[in-house]
Amino acid sequence: MKNKCNFDKGIDRRNTNCIKWDINHLIFGEKDVLPMWVADMDFEAPPKVIEALIDRAKHGAYGYTLHPRSLKEAITDWEFRRHNLKIQSDWISFSPGIVPAVNFFVDCFTKEGDGIIIQTPVYYPFIYACDRNNRKLVNNQLIQTKNGYEINFDQLEDQLSDPDTKMMIISSPHNPVGKVFTADELTKMAEFCADNGVILISDEIHQDIIFSGNEHICTSSLSEKIAQNTITCVAPSKTFNLAGLGFSALIIPDEEKRNKFQKYMDAKGIHGSNLFGIIAGEAAYRHGNDWLNELLIYLEGNIDYMENFFKEHLPKIKMQRPQSTYLAWLNFREYGYSQKELVDKMVKEAKLGLNDGSAFGAGGEGFMRLNFACPRSTIEEAMKRMKTVFS
Ligand SMILES: Cc1ncc(COP(=O)(O)O)c(C=O)c1O
């Protein structure tokens, strides 16, 4: 395919109140680090999205807004075309983000002291959703093998059969380990949950960032029984770089759960979405397909570059090739550093702002997470800096 988008160009995000670029001193205690952490991209959104936002902005009135039927159609079409997931538009609710949605689900469907299963190392807001809402965190830690991460199904079966366990939250695909779960793995997890009356929250925010040779399976597409027990979270935010617009969609096929959740949202007074999130989300889902295909090729080029660089210059840094997400999960364990030493070396010596792997819970020690959704030149610079400090 001919590349029409110039991802090499990137975009200068400094001095735009950008979390990734403008608060280095607060996050890393150093001003001059190259930030490669929070999961958004250093690329412009698709041109059609920018056009739609400008058109709407020109109107001049930004009052309360509906979720138009066309928006729900754009989401259902996208899910069907791209992921073979058949959903009805009335199964969709909206949330300003998936992180708040996960917390709403915890609050709505479980009570204090209930057990919630997560799989560390995992996106740390899942850990907070348990801890900060006084739920019992039940860790079905992923098992690291030579060929990637696997699920500890024996442990999971035990954990699900505990009557205190009420919910399981998965990141599918998995942030930070970059794993795309197979249909077998998902079926087993989701069937276990359904059989034990444990509601499954399938956070599929990374579902569109899938690299060649891998296929994302939507949990809810596996069977009717699974769909009825699963809530799926999707969003255009990671895929099209719209995270600042506060827009995500929640798919709840089971009527009872849907009504309960709607009542909960009504009771909290959470209605509506950000007008510009709606406009951008619909434009992205309607017109973003080709742009996304080009993005994936570019990101895969970044993976190739890092993989070759590590092999050639830094063989002690192990990178399991990500199957999904624009987040590389880098294993520094061979160096034998303490986590503090590792983070200090990365920040103070290499001047690189990666995520500290230990933030992702048990299993994250000795790792760092690097966001590679940036121009190749940024990756080259980061590799150069790492080589100076870690070779
Ligand atoms: C698994 C996962 N869920 C949710 C989010 C963020 O969701 P939101 O910005 O919609 O709250 C992220 C961002 O990195 C993520 O990796």
Side-chain angles (χ1 to χ4, degrees):
M1 195 197 325
K2 196 172 160 299
N3 216 353
K4 288 197 297 281
C5 308
N6 185 359
F7 293 106
D8 274 333
K9 186 163 101 253
I11 184 165
D12 185 353
R13 303 175 65 196
R14 286 168 299 178
N15 304 314
T16 60
N17 294 323
C18 172
I19 288 190
K20 194 197 255 170
W21 284 88
D22 288 336
I23 52 169
N24 272 344
H25 55 295
L26 295 177
I27 303 289
F28 300 105
E30 301 270 328
K31 257 195 157 138
D32 55 347
V33 297
L34 182 60
M36 304 185 87
W37 59 289
V38 65
D40 61 18
M41 302 196 269
D42 295 335
F43 304 127
E44 281 183 9
K48 290 273 187 201
V49 173
I50 300 173
E51 276 169 35
L53 286 170
I54 291 173
D55 268 3
R56 186 61 185 84
K58 277 186 184 155
H59 179 264
Y62 314 122
Y64 295 115
T65 183
L66 295 166
H67 296 108
R69 187 195 293 263
S70 57
L71 168 71
K72 290 193 172 181
E73 272 169 17
I75 297 170
T76 53
D77 286 356
W78 179 268
E79 288 304 319
F80 183 62
R81 265 189 293 123
R82 203 101 197 163
H83 301 294
N84 203 24
L85 177 67
K86 293 189 191 114
I87 48 177
Q88 291 175 18
S89 52
D90 62 346
W91 296 351
I92 303 174
S93 307
F94 296 98
S95 164
I98 291 181
V99 171
V102 165
N103 284 279
F104 298 151
F105 295 142
V106 166
D107 203 20
C108 173
F109 294 108
T110 70
K111 55 182 190 340
E112 285 205 9
D114 282 349
I116 300 181
I117 302 177
I118 61 170
Q119 297 174 308
T120 74
V122 77
Y123 183 54
Y124 40 83
F126 291 4
I127 301 174
Y128 302 156
C130 300
D131 290 349
R132 294 176 181 174
N133 291 297
N134 301 318
R135 274 35 171 196
K136 190 170 70 187
L137 190 160
V138 182
N139 191 12
N140 177 232
Q141 188 176 332
L142 293 176
I143 302 168
Q144 198 195 351
T145 72
K146 262 207 336 271
N147 303 318
Y149 283 86
E150 286 175 10
I151 298 165
N152 187 340
F153 279 109
D154 289 340
Q155 184 192 46
L156 182 61
E157 257 187 298
D158 283 350
Q159 292 168 327
L160 284 167
S161 64
D162 180 338
D164 285 347
T165 304
K166 300 292 186 215
M167 181 174 276
M168 177 165 183
I169 308 172
I170 59 171
S171 172
S172 175
H174 191 97
N175 170 12
V177 309
K179 177 180 171 71
V180 172
F181 289 108
T182 64
D184 278 355
E185 287 170 324
L186 287 169
T187 305
K188 229 168 148 179
M189 282 195 283
E191 288 253 345
F192 279 176
C193 284
D195 290 342
N196 287 283
V198 170
I199 185 166
L200 178 61
I201 309 297
S202 186
D203 176 349
E204 301 186 20
I205 197 168
H206 297 283
Q207 61 171 206
D208 301 315
I209 309 294
I210 304 293
F211 301 116
S212 39
N214 300 285
E215 186 194 2
H216 172 71
I217 312 276
C218 290
T219 310
S220 268
S221 70
L222 289 164
S223 72
E224 178 59 20
K225 173 178 153 190
I226 288 173
Q228 292 299 314
N229 189 54
T230 300
I231 297 181
T232 305
C233 308
V234 299
S237 50
K238 297 285 152 210
T239 314
F240 301 104
N241 210 19
L242 310 175
L245 294 176
F247 174 77
S248 63
L250 316 170
I251 302 161
I252 314 181
D254 175 48
E255 192 178 355
E256 205 178 307
K257 290 187 193 60
R258 202 162 62 235
N259 290 341
K260 187 168 177 178
F261 184 63
Q262 194 49 56
K263 268 197 187 144
Y264 171 86
M265 295 292 266
D266 288 346
K268 298 284 177 197
I270 303 167
H271 295 120
S273 291
N274 179 300
L275 165 62
F276 287 100
I278 291 176
I279 298 291
E282 180 170 344
Y285 281 138
R286 279 197 188 285
H287 307 295
N289 201 60
D290 293 348
W291 182 92
L292 172 58
N293 291 338
E294 291 192 28
L295 171 75
L296 291 174
I297 292 170
Y298 191 83
L299 292 175
E300 208 150 346
N302 280 356
I303 299 176
D304 290 340
Y305 185 90
M306 289 188 293
E307 198 169 56
N308 291 334
F309 193 94
F310 289 137
K311 272 196 191 126
E312 194 174 332
H313 301 288
L314 293 165
K316 278 165 89 176
I317 302 178
K318 302 283 185 273
M319 179 182 79
Q320 189 77 47
R321 196 175 166 88
Q323 299 172 330
S324 167
T325 79
Y326 35 77
L327 308 162
W329 186 233
L330 306 179
N331 180 348
F332 289 81
R333 285 185 176 168
E334 245 182 84
Y335 289 92
Y337 300 134
S338 70
Q339 192 67 19
K340 183 171 179 330
E341 282 167 341
L342 173 59
V343 172
D344 278 356
K345 278 194 171 295
M346 195 62 81
V347 173
K348 297 196 173 119
E349 295 179 37
K351 302 280 184 196
L352 288 171
L354 276 58
N355 289 87
D356 175 345
S358 66
F360 297 85
E365 318 78 24
F367 284 80
M368 300 293 284
R369 193 191 74 172
L370 179 149
N371 178 346
F372 57 88
C374 54
R376 189 81 30 90
S377 55
T378 310
I379 298 290
E380 286 166 5
E381 176 62 25
M383 295 298 105
K384 202 166 85 192
R385 292 187 191 194
M386 265 194 219
K387 189 176 164 205
T388 322
V389 175
F390 292 99
S391 57

